Amino acid sequence: MPPTSLDEIARAIASGLNCEHSAFCLQLLQLLANGQPVPPEQLATTLNISRDQVNTIPRQLTDIEYDREGNIVASGLSLIPTSHHFHLNGHALYTWCALDALSYPYILQQPAHVESSCPVRATKNSLNLTPESIESLEPASAVVSFVIPEKAKTCCNVRNTFCCYVHFLSSFEAAATWRSQHQEAIILPVEESYHVACMIARYRYGETLSKL
């Protein structure tokens, strides 16, 4: 039976997105939030691990993107433009999907401004988020699409098997049009989606998150 409550949805998504390298992923997220490419040496020093480990782990996280110098420039939070603009602490960043945009203020404990295009109406959705709540939302009718990921597929390719289905849409009407091609999708209001995003972060990262 498909999950129905917000907690069930959050647990199902978190299970599919489970990360075996949570400390690595969270530390990389914090460094990317500074708005600069992350050299592998910086990750090694920050995590107190060897350069060999820093080179080995990303091979298992194949979505990570690099610049020409070998610095990391994207892993959920991105220096490379996407349709999800994410303004944090004076830095113009991007995220791979709506879930990232909703969860990162909570994970990073910093407020953020989000602008994201509706894939159906081509209109802009705008949000101001804090680590505790949504401060503003335009349009008020905006919703978010989710899918329940399969761990066997997302473990190596989160962006193409999960993120590409997780959007801000301008309304339930727009979502119905999009969902006609994605019957497995779950559509939730942005406020509920924010709570789901925070729960997913807690279920995915647990004690690692509390140590940041």
Side-chain angles (χ1 to χ4, degrees):
M1 178 181 295
T4 54
S5 72
L6 297 186
D7 183 67
E8 288 175 340
I9 293 169
R11 287 181 182 274
I13 294 174
S15 177
L17 296 176
N18 186 46
C19 178
E20 296 179 0
H21 304 287
S22 57
F24 180 96
C25 293
L26 287 174
Q27 189 60 66
L28 177 55
L29 182 65
Q30 285 198 313
L31 294 173
L32 285 169
N34 294 322
Q36 298 294 326
V38 179
E41 296 84 356
Q42 185 179 13
L43 258 179
T45 300
T46 305
L47 289 168
N48 194 28
I49 60 178
S50 70
R51 176 61 189 268
D52 285 343
Q53 288 175 289
V54 171
N55 290 334
T56 299
I57 293 174
R59 293 190 193 124
Q60 302 169 41
L61 305 170
T62 56
D63 288 329
I64 290 178
E65 296 181 79
Y66 299 84
D67 62 16
R68 293 180 179 179
E69 287 72 41
N71 304 310
I72 297 173
V73 293
S75 180
L77 191 60
S78 177
L79 308 183
I80 301 171
T82 73
S83 60
H84 308 286
H85 297 249
F86 189 78
H87 301 271
L88 179 85
N89 196 28
H91 302 301
L93 304 168
Y94 304 88
T95 68
W96 284 347
C97 69
L99 174 62
D100 295 336
L102 290 169
S103 63
Y104 289 165
Y106 173 77
I107 292 173
L108 296 168
Q109 287 295 292
Q110 294 188 59
H113 175 70
V114 176
E115 294 180 359
S116 179
S117 299
C118 172
V120 175
R121 301 283 188 253
T123 54
K124 183 175 71 175
N125 300 284
S126 178
L127 306 85
N128 285 312
L129 301 155
T130 73
E132 295 83 26
S133 65
I134 297 174
E135 296 290 293
S136 65
L137 171 63
E138 180 64 35
S141 59
V143 297
V144 178
S145 61
F146 291 96
V147 293
I148 305 301
E150 296 181 36
K151 185 176 180 180
K153 294 181 179 180
T154 58
C155 67
C156 297
N157 197 352
V158 173
R159 193 170 184 182
N160 291 326
T161 61
F162 176 74
C163 290
C164 61
Y165 300 108
V166 186
H167 305 286
F168 290 103
L169 297 117
S170 60
S171 65
F172 275 107
E173 291 75 20
T177 300
W178 181 84
R179 194 172 181 270
S180 66
Q181 302 296 318
H182 307 280
Q183 294 293 327
E184 75 282 11
I186 298 167
I187 308 298
L188 296 174
V190 171
E191 185 71 35
E192 291 185 2
S193 300
Y194 172 78
H195 292 300
V196 167
C198 293
M199 284 190 284
I200 290 170
R202 291 194 292 271
Y203 291 141
R204 286 183 73 188
Y205 300 117
E207 293 183 1
T208 304
L209 184 60
S210 66
K211 294 176 182 178
L212 291 179

